[in-house]
Amino acid sequence: MSDNSNRRDAVAEGSVGGTVVMLICVCVLGVCSLCGCDRTQTAAEVTPPSRSPRDSVIQDGIDQDSVDQDSGFRSSSGGDVDAPGPSTTDVADGRDRGAPGEPGDSNTPQPATAEQLRETALRALEQGQDDLAFQLVRQVMRMTPDHPQAIFLHALVLGDRHRFHEAIEILDDLAARMPATRLPAMGQTAEWLVLAGNYDQAEARYRTILDEIPDATMVHRHLGQLLLQQGKRIEAASHFRYLAQRGEVNQDELRCLLSLVKPLPKQMESGRLEPLNRLAQSRNQMALQDLDAALEILQPEEHQTSRAGADANRQAVAWAEASLRARIQALRNEWDAVRQWAESVQPDAADADGWFAAGCHAAHQQNHDQAIRCFSRTLLIDFTDVDAYDRFSKSLRAAGQTTVADEADRRAKWIRQTQDIGNRLTMNQSRDRALVATLVTLLQQLKRPVEAFAWQSIDLVFAVNDAAISEAEAENAFLAIGEQRERLLRSGGHQIAPSFILCGLQIDALELRQGD
């Protein structure tokens, strides 16, 4: 949720929980339609990567004087778009050339200019009149074949007609010839790559943009959503936490931060978590408590039996699937399968599922010191993992550390409550302010203040909708929350101490070395 002036619109319209289709904005091209810039972003929900290819993904941040900017898109109020006919308006000075009494008056109709055709084509595209947009852009390309706005618009129209390969080639060629268009082109082509199913290439392009514009919030949002739909929920969380620190996070993203192993059950009903691969499909089944289906989805495929010759991305996917499969097998008490997995692999530093499965294997072998180390690694990666806290507590008790085990039980209880509330708030887009207040308190107890601030902001929108406070009061409260968040970030107080995550245990005492 944003703390900027756009939030007033969200408050006035009660838009939290709705959907905003982002304008197609490439500010650098003067086509106010392809950068997805935050000028139009409100507290509303944001459409995921599978939305229309007309939407965009890149933020402002490029030299806006590097190319012509004389044809900014003017949003239409609705209705059909008429193709421009002969014009009687002087484009240069705005005088009506047909008005009597002016020197050089003429009632002779003038043909539409390329600029007029571009603007009309953009409006047609935005309103779904794809055939008209296609006809108009062909005229524009005949008139100004080398104009960057015309080329970008041509690619947009082709992308809208699902001719993604052609559209991507056009923008890649434009970017090569005109460096100022490279990042906007990369953002738009990343979207088309998602729609075409080329997720690895899309990820790479989003990451390239972030390498050059680290604060591009819309790119963080799109990359986070893409990672989420591929089951890479922990990676996605890093982008959503960044958005929360910027005050730009929405409800869907906040709910994802409540549970990283798997989505909240009611989130899947929204259709915004459509799984794009087996990893995501399996996590969705876990959310529905169907471990049989979750495991069946992850049965090894032929290409996974040997990693020889596989590319790095395929290897990473196979590794992630094997780790999640081992987690599920541990939850199902399939100890022979877990033992075989544990004897053949070593989880890497970011493999929360792998460390969970390794911890379960160690605990089953009554090696509780090793289990504590493994579960500690899991929790340091994902401190929302309730199952890990439960197993952590059991191994702590078996090792005689009752006080720490009690705290782990308490921590698991709080986390379950946050997930239950998040799930209930998802149901029918509930606006239960009492639930939000409880959630804020729990997040504060869990040392997650940035998330708490975001939910407080959402509560203010609910309060305005309920007429409990005025818009002016809400705006003042928004600003106060933003100031508190900024102070917190400057102080470093938003970072959770590892000893807190581990309920008082110290990392040094656990000897958490790489390879343990």
Side-chain angles (χ1 to χ4, degrees):
M1 170 159 309
S2 174
D3 288 318
N4 59 27
S5 59
N6 286 327
R7 187 173 292 162
R8 284 192 289 270
D9 298 331
V11 174
E13 297 171 9
S15 58
V16 168
T19 299
V20 166
V21 176
M22 288 175 290
L23 295 178
I24 351 177
C25 178
V26 183
C27 296
V28 68
L29 296 176
V31 182
C32 192
S33 66
L34 259 153
C35 78
C37 60
D38 287 347
R39 289 191 305 253
T40 59
Q41 184 65 29
T42 69
E45 307 290 356
V46 177
T47 309
S50 55
R51 66 195 183 289
S52 163
R54 289 192 294 269
D55 303 337
S56 167
V57 296
I58 184 165
Q59 181 103 343
D60 291 330
I62 307 172
D63 182 2
Q64 299 188 18
D65 296 325
S66 55
V67 292
D68 178 28
Q69 292 197 2
D70 63 352
S71 64
F73 173 69
R74 288 184 278 277
S75 177
S76 171
S77 60
D80 292 340
V81 176
D82 295 324
S87 171
T88 59
T89 300
D90 188 318
V91 176
D93 60 16
R95 290 185 289 108
D96 186 349
R97 297 179 61 129
E102 296 288 345
D105 287 340
S106 171
N107 290 320
T108 303
Q110 300 297 312
T113 66
E115 177 186 348
Q116 291 171 324
L117 289 170
R118 286 198 306 266
E119 291 191 6
T120 307
L122 266 175
R123 289 196 296 270
L125 191 64
E126 182 66 15
Q127 295 183 21
Q129 296 177 257
D130 301 340
D131 290 338
L132 174 59
F134 186 65
Q135 294 170 14
L136 292 171
V137 80
R138 292 178 67 183
Q139 296 181 52
V140 172
M141 289 301 294
R142 283 195 293 268
M143 297 169 67
T144 56
D146 297 322
H147 197 292
Q149 293 175 4
I151 296 169
F152 221 114
L153 183 57
H154 183 207
L156 277 180
V157 171
L158 291 176
D160 206 62
R161 298 167 82 85
H162 292 189
R163 293 164 63 175
F164 301 127
H165 181 72
E166 295 171 76
I168 291 168
E169 278 193 342
I170 287 172
L171 290 193
D172 283 350
D173 179 68
L174 176 63
R177 291 187 290 108
M178 191 174 185
T181 67
R182 187 175 69 88
L183 292 181
M186 194 171 290
Q188 181 59 69
T189 54
E191 277 198 78
W192 287 330
L193 287 166
V194 172
L195 294 169
N198 297 326
Y199 309 129
D200 294 339
Q201 293 181 47
E203 272 189 51
R205 294 194 180 208
Y206 284 138
R207 293 185 194 280
T208 298
I209 297 171
L210 290 177
D211 286 343
E212 299 192 32
I213 311 178
D215 61 350
T217 57
M218 295 305 292
V219 182
H220 280 286
R221 171 159 288 131
H222 284 251
L223 178 55
Q225 182 68 36
L226 175 57
L227 293 169
L228 198 69
Q229 290 182 258
Q230 294 181 86
K232 302 176 183 179
R233 297 180 63 85
I234 290 172
E235 289 183 69
S238 67
H239 296 281
F240 296 154
R241 289 191 182 112
Y242 175 84
L243 292 174
Q245 291 171 16
R246 290 288 300 269
E248 299 286 349
V249 69
N250 66 43
Q251 281 197 76
D252 265 347
E253 293 153 355
L254 282 172
R255 284 189 283 263
C256 289
L257 290 177
L258 297 175
S259 175
L260 300 188
V261 172
K262 57 192 176 186
L264 302 175
K266 289 297 179 181
Q267 275 189 294
M268 293 185 295
E269 296 180 6
S270 69
R272 302 170 75 82
L273 292 180
E274 178 185 358
L276 299 178
N277 60 11
R278 299 188 339 150
L279 195 66
Q281 291 169 0
S282 182
R283 293 195 190 280
N284 284 6
Q285 292 303 316
M286 290 178 68
L288 298 175
Q289 304 299 317
D290 192 343
L291 295 182
D292 291 344
L295 187 59
E296 179 63 28
I297 289 168
L298 293 177
Q299 289 306 309
E301 294 179 331
E302 183 177 349
H303 76 266
Q304 292 177 307
T305 59
S306 173
R307 298 189 179 186
D311 61 34
N313 287 323
R314 179 172 293 182
Q315 288 184 37
V317 170
W319 188 278
E321 288 184 357
S323 294
L324 182 59
R325 185 166 58 247
R327 171 191 274 268
I328 297 169
Q329 289 166 335
L331 292 172
R332 287 163 51 91
N333 297 322
E334 297 180 7
W335 299 116
D336 286 342
V338 175
R339 176 183 53 76
Q340 292 175 14
W341 169 86
E343 291 174 350
S344 63
V345 302
Q346 171 72 29
D348 63 28
D351 187 1
D353 293 321
W355 287 113
F356 177 87
C360 291
H361 173 64
H364 183 68
Q365 298 293 319
Q366 301 301 310
N367 186 351
H368 291 289
D369 288 341
Q370 177 66 9
I372 290 169
R373 285 193 288 270
C374 290
F375 292 130
S376 294
R377 281 188 171 273
T378 302
L379 294 170
L380 290 172
I381 300 167
D382 176 13
F383 46 74
T384 73
D385 192 336
V386 172
D387 289 332
Y389 269 115
D390 284 341
R391 305 279 178 133
F392 184 52
S393 172
K394 290 177 181 177
S395 287
L396 286 166
R397 289 190 191 284
Q401 301 191 55
T402 305
T403 302
V404 182
D406 289 342
E407 180 58 31
D409 287 338
R410 183 161 44 251
R411 199 70 54 83
K413 177 182 177 181
W414 289 347
I415 294 170
R416 278 196 177 88
Q417 287 177 306
T418 67
Q419 294 171 354
D420 178 63
I421 292 172
N423 199 49
R424 292 166 66 184
L425 288 171
T426 309
M427 299 167 61
N428 302 316
Q429 295 297 330
S430 171
R431 298 176 183 270
D432 190 326
R433 295 187 61 207
L435 282 179
V436 174
T438 301
L439 178 57
V440 167
T441 299
L442 288 166
L443 290 171
Q444 290 170 337
Q445 291 172 340
L446 290 166
K447 306 295 185 185
R448 291 156 62 181
V450 175
E451 290 176 68
F453 285 143
W455 283 106
Q456 284 177 325
S457 297
I458 288 172
D459 180 60
L460 289 173
V461 177
F462 292 173
V464 171
N465 290 334
D466 293 344
I469 60 175
S470 68
E471 293 178 22
E473 290 173 321
E475 180 63 21
N476 289 334
F478 279 131
L479 293 173
I481 290 172
E483 291 172 357
Q484 292 179 63
R485 187 183 62 248
E486 289 302 317
R487 286 196 299 270
L488 180 77
L489 294 174
R490 286 195 298 269
S491 71
H494 62 293
Q495 298 174 340
I496 309 178
S499 60
F500 178 82
I501 294 173
L502 301 181
C503 306
L505 292 184
Q506 299 296 321
I507 291 181
D508 291 344
L510 290 170
E511 299 180 349
L512 293 182
R513 298 180 299 269
Q514 183 67 35
D516 281 353

